[in-house]
Amino acid sequence: MQTVLGIDLGTQSLKTVFYEYHTRELVCVVSSSLKVTRRSDGTAEQEAGWWLEALQDCLLQVPAEIKRSVRSIGVSGQQHGFVPMDERGEVLAPVKLWCDTSTQAQVQAITEACGGREACIRLTGNPVMTGYTAPKIRWLKDEHPQLYKQLAHILLPHDYLNFLLTGRRCMEFGDASGTGLLDVRTRQWSAEMLRAVDPERDLTACLPQLVDTDGFIGTTSAECASAFGLPEGIPVAPGGGDNMMGAIGTGTVSPGTLTMSLGSSGTLYAYSDSPIVDPQGNIAAFCSSTGGWLPLLCTMNCTLGTELMRAPLGVELDQIDTLIGPVPPGSNGLTVLPFFNGERTPDLPNGRGCLLGLTSSNTDRGHILRATMEGATYSLYFGLQELRALGLEATEIVLTGGGSRSAVWRQMVADICQLPVSLLNQEEGAAFGAALQALWILQNTETHSLSIEQITREHLSRNEALCTQPNINNSRIYERGYADYQRALAQISPLYQN
């Protein structure tokens, strides 16, 4: 048995997958749940020690024979988190996560120091957003100056796991482009943006070395072998952010395919051979973790919205499709703006969830849940329109994430976007993508000729039974529904502007 190990550090859980690449089967999948500390000011944090415990918990459940079969490792991680470390490698503070919206004051300060939102886009390709890493660094300076003085190393969540595995501090371009500090066009740190974060200190010394994604960053250390029961000396790939690894795990590694992830957050992204910078800043101008670029739209409320709604409505997860199935597309005029956790796209960090258009005929549980799904999907459909305006086209959407298990939601995505929707037999998304990146680099150490497209073609396959075609008869209905969503957004947004 010869396997590659993919590790995905998510918000809700940490997952490990062991993939036997000769027989093309997942021989072991284990996950361990994680909690999030949330406060009313928008704080969302985790302790880095929880990640260590979760990884130990996962690997403790894996038979020793399977762990001995590992030939290479890849790590995926939630983007944008800020892991502040001192000179000794100790984490100084709880890790502020991608969904932390408590740093809006720092976003404004950095943006003003750069000369405005458009200037930020000129400098890095992206505006400064409340979820990005840059304002979290400024927040530590503002709120905990004594800890900030001890700051010696800045890592992202997946970088921190790489550090635990290998002892090396480094960062690849895909995840780095979500910090708000990287010029995605040149793939270099922006000196101007770093000065905007802190004009009194050169933060360059705190940033890790940037590495390409076509070679290993190191091997598992003796400390790693002792802590996790993995063999010492196993090569470790650069890995990347969860969206970048999700792109590999869904085959979005060449132009033409879109990936839509229906997870706690929602994402829509495409591959490009050249930088795609949105002058409006709605589409994130990220690098991929395969040498290209990954223009991306992210919303903070996707299945998070349906989860928050179904709990007070007393609906179990396996009841949702049964309840919403009979409700007609458009939910009889009910519109939900599902901004329960603030929102990134549209840029409403102080936003709140809203129900509009309630009547005596659409207040039952099925209508409310369906309208919540539609609102989350309209937010992602906005991204499809923006990507098209930037010159990107797609022939299909590959759907992933927990929401993709809903047959009603799959049909809804196909009908709203009027594109075929595909699901893959390989369901592990970012964790599987991390494993495939590790396999790609491993096999290229032997052949030096494999492309990432060849790897994904060989190891990914469609689940034909779950693929969905758009229903043209629902197109007009959803056009009206989307127009209602846009009008509602225009009316409600002023209530939640900064």
Side-chain angles (χ1 to χ4, degrees):
M1 180 165 55
Q2 293 184 327
T3 64
V4 285
L5 167 58
I7 302 170
D8 179 39
L9 170 57
T11 314
Q12 305 298 328
S13 66
L14 184 146
K15 178 182 291 185
T16 58
V17 301
F18 292 78
Y19 179 60
E20 218 299 353
Y21 47 92
H22 294 301
T23 61
R24 300 183 189 175
E25 60 181 330
L26 288 169
V27 295
C28 189
V29 178
V30 183
S31 65
S32 182
S33 62
L34 292 166
K35 60 184 178 180
V36 178
T37 301
R38 296 184 185 272
R39 290 191 284 274
S40 59
D41 65 350
T43 294
E45 297 174 340
Q46 288 176 332
E47 298 286 344
W50 298 347
W51 304 341
L52 171 63
E53 293 169 3
L55 184 56
Q56 289 174 323
D57 178 56
C58 284
L59 294 175
L60 186 64
Q61 301 176 57
V62 178
E65 177 190 8
I66 294 178
K67 284 188 280 194
R68 286 195 299 268
S69 73
V70 175
R71 298 295 177 265
S72 62
I73 301 171
V75 178
S76 163
Q78 48 178 296
Q79 289 191 255
H80 314 310
F82 172 41
V83 186
M85 299 174 69
D86 65 15
E87 194 60 55
R88 298 173 300 162
E90 299 295 324
V91 179
L92 290 166
V95 178
K96 296 187 87 62
L97 305 182
W98 64 273
C99 50
D100 186 294
T101 59
S102 66
T103 62
Q104 188 57 31
Q106 286 73 32
V107 170
Q108 293 172 334
I110 296 170
T111 301
E112 290 172 5
C114 287
R117 180 183 172 93
E118 292 181 358
C120 292
I121 295 173
R122 287 196 301 273
L123 290 173
T124 66
N126 291 296
V128 181
M129 304 291 284
T130 189
Y132 288 2
T133 313
K136 296 178 174 70
I137 300 169
R138 177 67 173 258
W139 179 90
L140 185 68
K141 176 180 183 293
D142 293 344
E143 300 297 326
H144 299 282
Q146 293 306 313
L147 290 178
Y148 183 74
K149 288 179 182 178
Q150 301 176 52
L151 179 67
H153 305 287
I154 295 169
L155 294 182
L156 300 173
H158 110 267
D159 304 323
Y160 181 70
L161 289 192
N162 279 345
F163 171 69
L164 292 180
L165 293 173
T166 68
R168 183 181 179 189
R169 301 180 187 90
C170 60
M171 192 180 296
E172 55 78 45
F173 298 110
D175 216 2
S177 56
T179 62
L181 302 172
L182 186 80
D183 182 344
V184 300
R185 305 174 189 89
T186 63
R187 298 179 184 256
Q188 295 179 342
W189 298 119
S190 168
E192 295 91 341
M193 185 60 70
L194 289 167
R195 281 195 296 272
V197 174
D198 187 346
E200 301 167 349
R201 177 182 181 181
D202 182 7
L203 287 170
T204 307
C206 297
L207 294 169
Q209 178 187 3
L210 291 167
V211 297
D212 289 320
T213 53
D214 57 356
F216 292 116
I217 63 167
T219 60
T220 51
S221 64
E223 292 79 7
C224 164
S226 174
F228 305 117
L230 292 168
E232 185 178 352
I234 301 300
V236 178
D242 52 1
N243 289 306
M244 290 75 198
M245 295 299 99
I248 298 174
T250 54
T252 300
V253 293
S254 57
T257 298
L258 290 175
T259 295
M260 181 183 289
S261 176
L262 305 177
S264 297
S265 64
T267 54
L268 180 75
Y269 47 83
Y271 176 86
S272 174
D273 290 320
S274 58
I276 301 292
V277 174
D278 179 4
Q280 304 303 316
N282 293 317
I283 298 296
F286 290 167
C287 301
S288 76
S289 294
T290 56
W293 283 264
L294 198 74
L296 177 147
L297 176 126
C298 177
T299 66
M300 299 183 74
N301 300 270
C302 192
T303 60
L304 174 70
T306 55
E307 287 297 290
L308 289 173
M309 283 297 202
R310 74 174 180 83
L313 293 173
V315 178
E316 297 297 325
L317 190 60
D318 59 4
Q319 296 176 308
I320 291 180
D321 271 16
T322 302
L323 274 174
I324 67 178
V327 177
S331 301
N332 288 323
L334 180 60
T335 299
V336 173
L337 303 181
F339 309 148
F340 302 96
N341 205 33
E343 190 49 83
R344 180 181 299 175
T345 311
D347 188 11
L348 290 172
N350 298 318
R352 297 293 181 264
C354 302
L355 282 75
L356 299 100
L358 288 164
T359 70
S360 58
S361 64
N362 63 18
T363 55
D364 60 87
R365 296 183 299 172
H367 277 83
I368 292 172
L369 285 170
R370 184 178 188 106
T372 303
M373 278 187 184
E374 288 174 343
T377 309
Y378 289 145
S379 296
L380 293 167
Y381 176 62
F382 170 78
L384 174 60
Q385 291 187 314
E386 293 291 286
L387 287 170
R388 284 172 169 164
L390 292 169
L392 292 167
E393 283 298 337
T395 55
E396 67 171 341
I397 293 173
V398 177
L399 209 57
T400 187
S404 67
R405 299 188 184 99
S406 164
V408 175
W409 209 334
R410 294 195 297 271
Q411 189 65 57
M412 185 184 298
V413 170
D415 292 349
I416 289 175
C417 299
Q418 283 297 297
L419 284 172
V421 166
S422 296
L423 265 71
L424 302 179
N425 288 309
Q426 297 75 20
E427 298 180 345
E428 303 306 329
F432 194 66
L436 289 185
Q437 188 204 55
L439 176 62
W440 173 42
I441 299 172
L442 177 67
Q443 294 192 334
N444 272 334
T445 61
E446 303 166 356
T447 66
H448 304 285
S449 61
L450 283 174
S451 68
I452 189 64
E453 293 94 331
Q454 289 173 289
I455 291 290
T456 56
R457 280 198 302 269
E458 183 176 344
H459 295 277
L460 297 175
S461 59
R462 284 178 175 76
N463 186 333
E464 298 295 345
L466 300 182
C467 294
T468 307
Q469 294 295 318
N471 184 341
I472 190 65
N473 295 324
N474 291 334
S475 176
R476 288 278 182 88
I477 297 171
Y478 280 126
E479 285 176 8
R480 291 195 296 271
Y482 180 66
D484 290 342
Y485 167 87
Q486 291 286 73
R487 282 194 294 271
L489 176 60
Q491 294 297 317
I492 293 297
S493 291
L495 296 177
Y496 300 116
Q497 297 292 349
N498 301 319

